Amino acid sequence: MSGKTARYDVIISRAVLEHVDQLDATLLNIRQALRADGGSLRKVDLKSHGLEPYPPFDFLSWPTGLYRMTYSRKGLPNRRRVDKCRRAAGLATKKLRLVEVLDLEAVNAIRPHPASEFRDLEPSLLGWQRFWIEPTNSA
């Protein structure tokens, strides 16, 4: 969509943006491509896409630099969690609907081992796997 301005009424993304390295720039591009009364809807899949050998979200335990070096050019998850997705590109959230979450036992298995950027994330948010997000002021 790059280079399009006020061209679309609706833009829907379904489990794509978690693979984008420059998420804020991509979301701003989407905003610019929407007409003034247009809107966007995004489904986000925060799963590891088969990277973990054992527990769900084991890929969040890798140090950030090592993860980026290993996977940055392979289209695998960018590791942003729901807290960052809600505020991406400075957009406020109009609606947020959880689709899939890990049970408390799985979240507790992750808690002792996350990379530093995930250590302060509250457990209720760490377990989010898939959700729909509708930003406000999307155009």
Side-chain angles (χ1 to χ4, degrees), residues 36-96:
D37 59 345
S40 67
L41 183 63
R42 304 187 302 265
K43 185 176 187 181
V44 182
D45 182 350
L46 300 180
K47 292 181 179 181
S48 68
H49 296 52
L51 294 177
E52 74 277 341
Y54 173 60
F57 289 163
D58 185 49
F59 78 118
L60 296 180
S61 66
W62 295 41
T64 301
L66 179 61
Y67 183 83
R68 284 186 185 145
M69 189 170 46
T70 305
Y71 291 110
S72 67
R73 299 293 177 233
K74 296 185 179 194
L76 293 172
N78 56 32
R79 299 200 317 174
R80 284 193 186 207
R81 309 313 323 147
V82 64
D83 61 321
K84 303 286 191 234
C85 293
R86 281 195 296 214
R87 295 185 306 272
L91 298 174
T93 298
K94 181 177 179 179
K95 291 181 184 177
L96 191 65

Side-chain angles (χ1 to χ4, degrees), residues 73-130:
R73 299 293 177 233
K74 296 185 179 194
L76 293 172
N78 56 32
R79 299 200 317 174
R80 284 193 186 207
R81 309 313 323 147
V82 64
D83 61 321
K84 303 286 191 234
C85 293
R86 281 195 296 214
R87 295 185 306 272
L91 298 174
T93 298
K94 181 177 179 179
K95 291 181 184 177
L96 191 65
R97 186 174 66 87
L98 180 62
V99 175
E100 185 177 349
V101 66
L102 291 175
D103 62 36
L104 186 56
E105 184 178 328
V107 172
N108 286 335
I110 300 165
R111 290 299 300 160
H113 310 289
S116 60
E117 67 189 280
F118 308 115
R119 287 188 190 134
D120 293 331
L121 187 61
E122 59 185 85
S124 64
L125 297 179
L126 185 61
W128 281 48
Q129 292 194 314
R130 292 185 302 140

Side-chain angles (χ1 to χ4, degrees), residues 1-13 26-41 137-139:
M1 287 185 287
S2 183
K4 306 294 183 196
T5 303
R7 184 164 182 177
Y8 303 103
D9 294 322
V10 176
I11 297 175
I12 298 173
S13 167
T26 301
L27 292 174
L28 288 173
N29 192 321
I30 288 171
R31 271 177 67 183
Q32 292 170 346
L34 286 167
R35 292 190 171 120
D37 59 345
S40 67
L41 183 63
N137 304 325
S138 54

